[in-house]
Amino acid sequence: MEDQLKGTKEAKVKKYSMGMFLVTIGIVYGDIGTSPMYVMKSIVEGNGGLANVDRDFIIGSLSLVIWTITLLTTIKHVLIAMKADNHGEGGIFALYSLVKSCGAWLIIPTMVGGCTMLADGVLTPAVTVTTAVEGLRSIEFMNRLLGEGQVVVLIITLIIVSTLFLIQKSGTSSIGKLFGPVMLIWFLFLGIVGLVYSIGDLSILLAFNPVYAIRVIFSPANKAGLMILGSVFLCTTGAEALYTDMGHVGKENIYISWPFVKICLILNYMGQCSWIIKNHDNAALAAIEDLNPFYVMLPEALRPVAIILSALAAIIASQALISGSYTLVHEAASLDLMPHLNVRYPSDTKGQIYIPVVNKLLWFMCILVILYFRSGSRMENAYGLAITISMLMMTILFTVYIGVLHGRKLAALIFAIVFFAIESVFFASSLGKFVVGGYVAIILSAMILVIMISWFRGTQIERMQGVRLRILDYVSAIRNLQADSTVPYCANNLVYLSKGEEFETIDRDIMYSILDKDPKRADAYWFISVNTTDIPFQREYEVNTLGTDFIFRVNLNLGFKVRQSINIYLRQIVNDLMKSGELPPQSKDYSVYGPSAVGSFKFCMIRKMMPMEGELSTIDNMLIHTKYIIRRMAGSPARWFGLETSRVIYEYVPLFLPKRTETERLQRIER
């Protein structure tokens, strides 16, 4: 008992260590941590510039920022959302897996919210890195060096973004250890600078009164009207990363680190607003084109430091969305909303993953966005709209989680009223950006949504047509096939990768492949299910012979850090079963390595296909064909299972759709 308590204590110390605090700072807060670079700039520009703002307007705007962060980030995402974890994992798909039993319709807000979050994973690296690089223009020497136009800015941005995606394969843990200290310095810089400027005007503390936030929306000094909220909302983009990245760092570390991050952010906003109030009637400053209070309020000597730190913070902001995108795609695949892709675990924590295909697609789309918009200000128009949609969808799921799953209907009603009201207003204000760039976010989201719908509906159709067969019912047929010398010999060991852990049944497609589609004669038939477990280096298997010495149903349990080299592990299993006498001896006389006691292997991969006959609606037919196109683009399963150098055959089996009831017969004619 003492050792157990000691182990628990050590785990707890590790969980709350300074190292994990730095990793959390480095992974989770990059996106929301860069918001001071452009929020007040956007608010002032939206109101006509520095000369068109006054004290009441700035205090009211600051109050909007403070209460937006408090309501949407602290209360919704930290205090409420993070309690809805699925075995430590967060994100919209993890939440859906908790509430899906409450109604089939919940898949709709899940897909809509998921695709908009993934679209934000494309936009965030583009807008944050470009904006940070453009900050170089606030230094006169660098402005001359960059020259006219955006060519040099774009080149620098593309190099930084490409490098960021290139280093993803090293894992978020190592990246977090690298970025954590930088982000700690960044937040300390934000907080200290903000505190210094705030001390000179303590009237800025009035912004903590929410009355000022409500008053400024209807104030005549607010020339943007409700559209001001489109700029204010930028202060909370990245809040969803706190919930999505929970599996990467653990909720406890977010609970501990968020108060520090929030204080630093609010202090910086206060400092910027104090500086704006002091200088709003300065004609020289008002004449500066594209004025950014975040940089301009700093002394000349300190601006290079701010620009370097902001560039690094922008890179880390991108990292938060990229790592979150891996998690989202992986969870979507587990729910059959996306294809199962090759997932790598570069660290010793299962929550930290890397998906090569997703990394390449995100990089490609990000590059296209940068080249299309060419400037940070134009990209900001596409930024935020997608996130308001995802937040609304998350509110729907959280309402069901609180009210239906936990039976707290009153609490769910209050939650829904409060956050639907807030987020609907933000959504309405963000719609104003649609025609000037927001359409890009919607197009990206729509493309991802098509993939999800096609994969989800296609999988539904396949399952409706799928049938499980009792293996024992076909033992005699397989035995007769083995004895039929007229059938060409296939291999000593014929291996099928199967889904599910049931020992007694098998998918009909596999039996169809063995008996109907080019009957396959072999000494032993293997039906293997590969299960990824939470234990990093677990290597276990269980086998059922079904009372035979030629049919073997195997469950292979591999830890998430173990490479799925199925051919290697199967060879060991064959040796084990031959030693135990459950498998007759095999021999391989011809080999560059000399005679072997283990025979030959052939792996058969089953793929579904659409037959010419069968009835499907036009939409379903289109969706399942789209799924099969996506499947071809998703990569080779043989590589995922470590079978690149093995003998692999692919077979396509029909969906066994019902035949048409009315078929026009051919008429024979005589010559």
Side-chain angles (χ1 to χ4, degrees):
M1 177 64 72
E2 185 178 349
D3 292 339
Q4 186 176 358
L5 290 173
K6 182 179 179 182
T8 304
K9 184 177 180 181
E10 288 176 353
K12 194 170 185 180
V13 170
K14 182 179 179 181
K15 193 174 289 185
Y16 298 111
S17 66
M18 185 61 184
M20 280 308 301
F21 177 85
L22 289 175
V23 170
T24 304
I25 293 288
I27 292 176
V28 177
Y29 300 113
D31 192 7
I32 198 169
T34 57
S35 57
M37 291 164 50
Y38 43 75
V39 171
M40 294 312 302
K41 171 180 178 290
S42 180
I43 291 173
V44 172
E45 282 183 353
N47 208 58
L50 191 64
N52 293 294
V53 300
D54 57 21
R55 175 182 293 272
D56 290 340
F57 172 82
I58 291 300
I59 290 177
S61 300
L62 176 60
S63 185
L64 282 172
V65 169
I66 291 173
W67 285 101
T68 298
I69 294 175
T70 300
L71 292 171
L72 294 186
T73 307
T74 302
I75 295 179
K76 182 183 178 183
H77 285 90
V78 177
L79 299 181
I80 298 177
M82 289 179 59
K83 295 185 182 301
D85 68 293
N86 187 358
H87 301 289
E89 295 290 339
I92 192 168
F93 297 120
L95 178 60
Y96 169 72
S97 66
L98 293 174
V99 301
K100 61 183 179 181
S101 60
C102 300
W105 63 275
L106 291 170
I107 192 63
I108 298 174
T110 301
M111 288 193 291
V112 173
C115 70
T116 51
M117 284 184 177
L118 287 170
D120 187 54
V122 173
L123 293 170
T124 295
V127 67
T128 54
V129 176
T130 304
T131 302
V133 174
E134 288 176 340
L136 293 170
R137 294 195 179 277
S138 64
I139 302 174
E140 186 177 349
F141 168 74
M142 291 304 301
N143 187 39
R144 291 198 304 268
L145 194 62
L146 293 174
E148 298 291 334
Q150 287 286 101
V151 176
V152 179
V153 170
L154 288 176
I155 292 174
I156 297 173
T157 302
L158 293 175
I159 291 173
I160 292 174
V161 169
S162 298
T163 303
L164 176 64
F165 280 101
L166 183 64
I167 65 175
Q168 291 301 309
K169 59 185 177 182
S170 64
T172 54
S173 180
S174 58
I175 293 173
K177 291 175 183 176
L178 174 66
F179 287 168
V182 175
M183 287 303 293
L184 180 62
I185 295 171
W186 168 253
F187 283 117
L188 288 173
F189 175 82
L190 292 179
I192 293 171
V193 169
L195 180 62
V196 169
Y197 281 92
S198 300
I199 291 175
D201 185 4
L202 295 181
S203 66
I204 204 72
L205 296 175
L206 293 171
F208 285 93
N209 185 344
V211 172
Y212 287 88
I214 299 172
R215 185 184 299 170
V216 74
I217 295 176
F218 306 100
S219 170
N222 175 20
K223 298 177 176 57
L226 191 64
M227 295 301 105
I228 190 178
L229 296 177
S231 298
V232 171
F233 183 77
L234 296 176
C235 74
T236 195
T237 55
E240 72 286 348
L242 277 68
Y243 182 54
T244 302
D245 284 335
M246 179 167 53
H248 291 245
V249 298
K251 64 170 68 177
E252 293 84 0
N253 291 293
I254 295 177
Y255 286 144
I256 291 173
S257 57
W258 169 243
F260 163 74
V261 171
K262 181 181 178 182
I263 290 170
C264 292
L265 290 174
I266 290 179
L267 281 174
N268 193 265
Y269 285 123
M270 290 171 59
Q272 288 188 52
C273 290
S274 296
W275 180 87
I276 293 171
I277 291 172
K278 183 179 179 180
N279 295 278
H280 74 275
D281 55 355
N282 187 317
L285 290 173
I288 297 177
E289 185 178 354
D290 203 26
L291 180 140
N292 190 335
F294 177 78
Y295 294 111
V296 178
M297 73 176 184
L298 299 173
E300 287 277 353
L302 199 56
R303 288 180 192 175
V305 176
I307 292 170
I308 292 172
L309 286 175
S310 64
L312 293 173
I315 293 172
I316 298 167
S318 305
Q319 172 60 48
L321 268 295
I322 294 169
S323 60
S325 297
Y326 298 148
T327 303
L328 287 170
V329 171
H330 188 44
E331 291 173 348
S334 67
L335 295 171
D336 287 320
L337 295 175
M338 281 190 169
H340 292 264
L341 301 171
N342 182 18
V343 177
R344 299 179 186 175
Y345 301 90
S347 73
D348 291 333
T349 303
K350 189 179 180 184
Q352 298 175 10
I353 64 176
Y354 167 67
I355 306 179
V357 172
V358 175
N359 192 63
K360 292 175 183 177
L361 287 175
L362 285 176
W363 170 79
F364 178 72
M365 297 304 297
C366 185
I367 295 299
L368 289 182
V369 168
I370 292 170
L371 294 176
Y372 176 72
F373 283 108
R374 298 180 65 85
S375 72
S377 58
R378 292 185 62 199
M379 291 179 200
E380 288 173 11
N381 293 324
Y383 197 47
L385 178 57
I387 292 302
T388 59
I389 297 174
S390 67
M391 282 191 175
L392 283 167
M393 299 303 104
M394 290 282 282
T395 298
I396 294 174
L397 297 179
F398 280 127
T399 300
V400 174
Y401 176 83
I402 297 169
V404 179
L405 208 61
H406 287 275
R408 302 172 63 182
K409 295 183 179 180
L410 180 60
L413 179 63
I414 295 172
F415 176 87
I417 291 174
V418 171
F419 289 104
F420 265 125
I422 295 172
E423 291 164 359
S424 295
V425 173
F426 278 117
F427 173 68
S429 64
S430 297
L431 279 177
K433 297 182 177 182
F434 179 83
V435 295
V436 290
Y439 61 88
V440 172
I442 300 302
I443 291 173
L444 288 172
S445 301
M447 291 168 59
I448 300 169
L449 185 60
V450 168
I451 294 174
M452 288 187 181
I453 293 174
S454 301
W455 200 268
F456 180 74
R457 181 55 184 162
T459 302
Q460 277 189 325
I461 295 171
E462 289 177 345
R463 285 177 176 171
M464 286 189 295
Q465 303 300 325
V467 176
R468 303 287 294 186
L469 301 177
R470 289 183 72 248
I471 301 176
L472 288 174
D473 293 341
Y474 295 87
V475 170
S476 60
I478 294 176
R479 182 180 288 112
N480 293 336
L481 174 61
Q482 284 184 308
D484 190 348
S485 59
T486 63
V487 176
Y489 188 73
C490 183
N492 292 107
N493 301 283
L494 182 60
V495 186
Y496 288 87
L497 296 179
S498 174
K499 294 181 179 179
E501 300 180 26
E502 298 178 11
F503 271 140
E504 292 78 19
T505 64
I506 201 72
D507 192 279
R508 178 172 59 179
D509 295 337
I510 293 178
M511 284 299 173
Y512 178 85
S513 170
I514 295 173
L515 300 174
D516 293 80
K517 193 175 181 68
D518 296 329
K520 300 172 182 63
R521 188 160 64 96
D523 294 326
Y525 297 84
W526 301 84
F527 309 131
I528 299 180
S529 293
V530 182
N531 310 305
T532 302
T533 69
D534 294 336
I535 304 173
F537 296 99
Q538 182 178 9
R539 293 180 179 88
E540 297 178 352
Y541 74 92
E542 51 184 343
V543 61
N544 187 350
T545 65
L546 293 108
T548 73
D549 62 356
F550 59 90
I551 297 178
F552 302 92
R553 183 70 176 86
V554 179
N555 283 335
L556 190 57
N557 304 314
L558 299 178
F560 64 87
K561 287 286 289 181
V562 176
R563 175 169 166 77
Q564 294 186 351
S565 301
I566 308 304
N567 54 350
I568 296 175
Y569 297 120
L570 182 57
R571 185 172 295 273
Q572 178 203 321
I573 295 172
V574 169
N575 273 309
D576 290 348
L577 295 182
M578 284 195 295
K579 289 179 181 178
S580 66
E582 296 169 272
L583 175 67
Q586 298 178 353
S587 64
K588 186 176 183 181
D589 297 330
Y590 304 102
S591 170
V592 295
Y593 303 105
S596 171
V598 178
S600 60
F601 290 85
K602 183 172 285 187
F603 296 85
C604 189
M605 297 282 187
I606 302 294
R607 292 291 186 94
K608 298 281 190 179
M609 62 170 288
M610 280 291 295
M612 294 299 294
E613 71 275 5
E615 292 181 346
L616 273 182
S617 67
T618 303
I619 294 178
D620 280 347
N621 188 64
M622 179 183 66
L623 290 176
I624 199 163
H625 275 94
T626 303
K627 174 181 176 175
Y628 292 159
I629 292 172
I630 296 168
R631 185 182 64 188
R632 286 196 296 271
M633 299 171 62
S636 169
R639 186 167 185 177
W640 306 345
F641 293 114
L643 303 175
E644 305 98 314
T645 59
S646 304
R647 297 172 63 195
V648 181
I649 57 175
Y650 290 90
E651 285 197 348
Y652 292 84
V653 297
L655 275 174
F656 294 97
L657 298 174
K659 295 184 178 180
R660 300 182 187 276
T661 54
E662 297 182 5
T663 303
E664 296 185 6
R665 296 178 58 82
L666 294 173
Q667 182 179 0
R668 179 177 177 177
I669 60 174
E670 301 290 342
R671 288 189 177 275

